[in-house]
Amino acid sequence: MNYSAPVQFVAKNMRVDLRLIAGMIAPRSRVLDIGCGDGTLIDHLFKTKGCDARGIEIDMGEVTRAVTHGLPVMQGDADSDLANYPDGAFDYVVLSRTLQAVERPREVLRQMLRISTFAIVSFPNFGHWSLRLQLLLRGRMPMTRAWHRMWYETPNIHPCTIADFFALCEADGYRVVEWMAADEAGARAPWRKFAGLANFFGEQGLFLLRKV
Amino acid sequence: MASETVADHRRLTARADFGAGFAAIFGDTLDDGGALDQQSVQALVHRVDLGAELGKGLWRRGFWHGGLSIQLRVEAANRGDCVGAGCGAYPEPMDQGPQLAEATHQSVRFDDGLTLDCGRHLNILDVAYRTYGTLNAARSNAVLICHALTGDQYVAETHPLTGKPGWWNAVVGPGCPVDTDTRFVICANVLGGCMGSTGPKSPHDERPGEPWGVDFPAVTIADMVRAQKKLVDHLGIDRLFAVIGGSMGAMQVLAWASMYPEQVFAAVPVAGAAYHSAQNIAFHEIGRQAIAADPFFYSGRYWAEGVTPSRGLAVARMTAHITYVSEAALTRKFGRKLQDASDLLIGDRFEVESYLEYQGSSFVRRFDANSYLTITRAMDLFDLGADHGGSLAAAFYGTRTRFLLVSFSSDWLFPTAQSRAIAKALNHVAANVSFVEIASDKGHDAFLLDEPDFHLTLRGFLAGCAEHAGLA
């Protein structure tokens, strides 16, 4: 990713999304929100939970908006800038609907769990039934609310399914402390106990991880 | 014999070339004086002489010859710049260093002096400063503004020497991003400066009746900060709510945050760097060489001769000024426009040349050459990382200060990469850091100019900090 052409992530429905994420975060903890946009989540965490919350955002316009509102946000890139932080600098690092757009998702996850005790990751689920059906019936790359850009221009270069993500956590030794599948609006879906169903019906996955 | 003749000739030339111009613009001055005193003539001769040499082969109608100074004065007059009564009548300001010292500045004297990084001890330390707004009962609303190389303490009021508005009027004042309605703002002239703080113009510690001149010890950015710390202590302030500065001011902000982390709640280095780059040192060296090459420099003892190396100082300023602006800004402002002519062959010169001349001439009337040498050297010496074993992060280890780094996209003197490097170092120690690059085509100067995004960012950052600091 370069700075001259900032990546436009898939549209965030922050208000509901952040409620689910904020629910995983303990009061008065240290939080880093990667891809924080205009800083809605960190503002929420400071105001409602007294967290020391900060943000990184690649889009300078969003950064300026956030800082203008008094939020500690710096321009930076998930792929390259996490390496600058010391081990265990945070209690939680949040990567909301950004994992699929970074260049090296596995390395980003590794860095997250180096600099923080917990990692909170959400991503649009490529295993959702409507995507599977479109691919099966039309034989073309599927288009949905979450996946709405053509394959040749999408910033979401590393799509994965909820099942894929479980497999990566297993391979890299991350413990899934908590997880859920939600629909696109962010409402919690009822199949959180059954990963197979969640992978079929959940539009996005939300994970709370820590090192084993 | 020969020299007298030449001098007489020059005197005549000077009278002839400049007389008309002076009479037209500064008639009163000349009439009152009856004739130019010897020193003024010496200065004029100097200019004409220099001009003739420099102009040789450069210009069909060498603009250095005569027209230069007159034109500058006309421009100054047109711009409402400080000319004539009230600010020291012409021609003295251009050529008499001691005049600079005449204005009185609010200051505090520390009789215990200051021990400098170089090992020398200054027996007496004066810190000239200005304050705006009111210190609250808890003494928790103080903001220290650090000025840049050629700035001074007159941050938000009319300058007593130049008559110009404060250099950061858009940032500091009632209702401004640094709001003097709610904050107590302090700005001190830096150590080594020439606006009332101890510097090369101050009395020599060991030689009564003489100023320090070039013998003034080398000072560092850290020395400047120590002097400011004494002032802040003197004002009874334990912790500064914020320390803010651009360019060299940013260096001081970084030094403040590194040296006195518990005394700085928020730090805002704007258009700054953690070290002075080779390119920046190179530009400074050109300026210093220009001053040293001025025949009126007298190895730094120009004060003893009653003159100043105005030409050299002006050239130093002109060179530096180019580094403060971007190519885009110069193109937008001047392009290839000509001054008062439509054809270069019959006209005089480009507008950009006249602009630079103006920058140079207005500068020498308020700045001391030895101060310029001292302060540029202090900037060159600055390398916060090197001072901490080569690790910039080590300078901020354990810091609880909240940082806002601001850079400007077209600033090539203190480019964004420098601010980003500071941000990375601060990330290394998990500091609370905001970092914004403001899109601007105005170059390094942007931090002094009307940049709404910058001002909004600063205002928002300070508001956020105030919330965390428990300030209303």
Side-chain angles (χ1 to χ4, degrees), chain A residues 3 46-47 51-56 60 63-64 67-76 80-81 83-86 89-90, chain B residues 402 404 420 423-424 427-438 453 456-465 467-468:
Chain A
Y3 299 116
F46 168 64
K47 290 207 168 113
C51 292
D52 174 7
R54 310 165 191 180
I56 298 180
M60 193 53 89
V63 175
T64 306
V67 178
T68 299
H69 287 97
L71 303 170
V73 173
M74 62 173 285
Q75 202 269 349
S80 57
D81 290 345
N84 298 323
Y85 291 89
F90 301 95
Chain B
R402 301 172 77 90
L404 168 63
R420 195 182 297 284
K424 282 189 176 179
N427 283 342
H428 270 294
V429 295
N432 188 310
V433 48
S434 302
F435 165 42
V436 173
E437 180 194 57
I438 303 291
D453 279 355
L456 282 172
T457 303
L458 179 60
R459 183 190 295 272
F461 172 77
L462 291 175
C465 288
E467 199 175 340
H468 286 271

Side-chain angles (χ1 to χ4, degrees), chain B residues 30-109:
Chain B
L30 282 179
D31 288 345
D32 291 348
L36 298 171
D37 59 27
Q38 193 175 348
Q39 182 181 304
S40 303
V41 170
Q42 190 190 7
L44 295 174
V45 166
H46 167 57
R47 269 203 303 276
V48 172
D49 200 31
L50 251 188
E53 279 176 35
L54 287 168
K56 232 176 262 175
L58 283 175
W59 307 101
R60 291 160 59 93
R61 296 176 48 193
F63 76 83
W64 292 90
H65 188 71
L68 165 65
S69 290
I70 293 170
Q71 182 152 10
L72 291 175
R73 294 297 147 189
V74 174
E75 283 168 20
N78 286 344
R79 289 171 202 238
D81 196 10
C82 153
V83 176
C87 300
Y90 190 79
E92 285 81 359
M94 184 84 177
D95 296 301
Q96 285 190 346
Q99 286 290 4
L100 290 171
E102 297 309 320
T104 53
H105 305 281
Q106 177 189 2
S107 68
V108 56
R109 169 160 296 185

Side-chain angles (χ1 to χ4, degrees), chain B residues 107-381:
Chain B
S107 68
V108 56
R109 169 160 296 185
F110 299 98
D111 290 322
D112 56 342
L114 185 73
T115 303
L116 305 172
D117 274 338
C118 67
R120 291 282 298 270
H121 181 81
L122 294 173
N123 291 340
I124 290 171
L125 172 68
D126 287 330
V127 179
Y129 68 101
R130 296 293 297 159
T131 66
Y132 311 87
T134 311
L135 189 61
N136 64 10
R139 297 176 176 268
S140 60
N141 67 333
V143 174
L144 179 71
I145 305 287
C146 302
H147 70 73
L149 166 61
T150 62
D152 52 45
Q153 66 271 39
Y154 297 100
V155 58
E157 64 189 302
T158 304
H159 196 284
L161 290 182
T162 67
K164 289 182 179 172
W167 58 268
W168 231 2
N169 251 1
V171 169
V172 180
C176 289
V178 180
D179 191 346
T180 52
D181 286 339
T182 54
R183 305 281 172 257
F184 177 65
V185 176
I186 309 159
C187 187
N189 185 216
V190 294
L191 178 69
C194 52
M195 284 292 161
S197 288
T198 297
K201 283 198 315 178
S202 305
H204 197 291
D205 272 353
E206 285 109 40
R207 286 186 231 130
E210 280 194 18
W212 281 99
V214 278
D215 292 335
F216 191 70
V219 301
T220 62
I221 298 291
D223 290 330
M224 294 175 181
V225 168
R226 287 185 195 103
Q228 290 164 0
K229 177 67 163 53
K230 289 182 93 107
L231 170 66
V232 170
D233 289 344
H234 166 77
L235 294 172
I237 295 159
D238 285 337
R239 188 184 72 172
L240 292 160
F241 167 62
V243 183
I244 305 169
S247 197
M248 185 182 83
M251 292 177 168
Q252 295 163 64
V253 173
L254 293 170
W256 257 101
S258 171
M259 294 162 68
Y260 307 108
E262 295 303 317
Q263 271 78 50
V264 182
F265 185 78
V268 187
V270 180
Y275 63 90
H276 218 217
S277 72
Q279 189 184 34
N280 293 5
I281 295 169
F283 276 114
H284 272 178
E285 180 59 11
I286 294 172
R288 287 188 292 256
Q289 291 285 350
I291 292 168
D294 190 318
F296 279 18
F297 183 60
Y298 290 109
S299 304
R301 291 182 61 87
Y302 50 84
W303 44 269
E305 309 289 332
V307 294
T308 60
S310 305
R311 218 38 247 167
L313 188 57
V315 171
R317 175 63 169 177
M318 290 162 73
T319 311
H321 197 81
I322 298 170
T323 69
Y324 301 155
V325 294
S326 67
E327 188 189 5
L330 278 183
T331 303
R332 175 164 43 78
K333 207 165 176 181
F334 305 107
R336 293 182 49 80
K337 278 181 286 195
L338 298 172
Q339 185 80 17
D340 306 323
S342 55
D343 183 348
L344 186 58
L345 294 176
I346 41 175
D348 282 48
R349 53 207 191 110
F350 292 102
E351 276 191 6
V352 67
E353 298 171 310
S354 145
Y355 169 73
L356 274 187
E357 275 296 335
Y358 169 74
Q359 290 294 337
S361 81
S362 59
F363 180 60
V364 298
R365 274 177 284 144
R366 66 177 174 88
F367 219 86
D368 175 56
N370 281 329
S371 263
Y372 195 83
L373 300 180
T374 300
I375 301 174
T376 53
R377 182 48 86 191
M379 288 180 77
D380 292 353
L381 291 172

